[in-house]
Amino acid sequence: QVQLVESGGGLVQSGGSLRLSCAASGRFASIDAMGWYRQAPGKERELVARIFSGGETNYADSVKGRFTVSRDNAENTVYLQMNSLKPEDTAVYYCNFNVVMLTTNYGMYWGKGTPVTVSS
């Protein structure tokens, strides 16, 4: 019933910027938390940034001051602005939404991931 589509990943040089987007489609009442996670080869998936319905955010220490998460509730979309990218940011980035369904049930949905490669 809910699908997440990510975009914006790609190849960028160290110090450059990218903006990731993730939009939800389907039928639901609202979206609570919107988050970005990433997974590098051989490592566990980790939280990068998260934004809640009231606008509260949190970030991994490794990206604080460089990444900014925002959301557009009218478009059911979350963004991740990534600046001052480093090679260590290379990973597949996944969006994750906690969705409030029309029935008031909750659902967790993941995007398929978008790769980000930062070259040195």
Side-chain angles (χ1 to χ4, degrees):
Q1 289 185 317
V2 181
Q3 294 181 338
L4 275 52
V5 179
E6 298 131 327
S7 63
L11 174 65
V12 65
Q13 293 182 353
S14 180
S17 298
L18 285 173
R19 190 175 82 151
L20 306 183
S21 301
C22 179
S25 62
R27 293 171 176 81
F28 46 86
S30 62
I31 302 171
D32 188 1
M34 296 177 169
W36 287 97
Y37 296 73
R38 68 185 181 188
Q39 188 167 23
K43 296 184 178 180
E44 294 184 354
R45 186 176 298 186
E46 65 172 345
L47 174 69
V48 177
R50 186 163 53 196
I51 183 167
F52 297 89
S53 59
E56 182 182 0
T57 60
N58 54 39
Y59 297 89
D61 288 341
S62 60
V63 307
K64 284 182 178 178
R66 299 188 297 120
F67 291 9
T68 302
V69 64
S70 60
R71 61 192 284 167
D72 184 339
N73 291 329
E75 298 295 331
N76 300 312
T77 300
V78 64
Y79 303 94
L80 185 67
Q81 179 66 46
M82 305 186 293
N83 298 325
S84 301
L85 283 162
K86 305 174 181 179
E88 64 196 57
D89 296 317
T90 296
V92 177
Y93 285 70
Y94 301 87
C95 62
N96 172 266
F97 287 9
N98 185 252
V99 178
V100 181
M101 309 304 291
L102 292 171
T103 62
T104 71
N105 291 333
Y106 284 81
M108 285 269 291
Y109 294 90
W110 290 89
K112 294 180 176 61
T114 184
V116 171
T117 302
V118 184
S119 64
S120 59

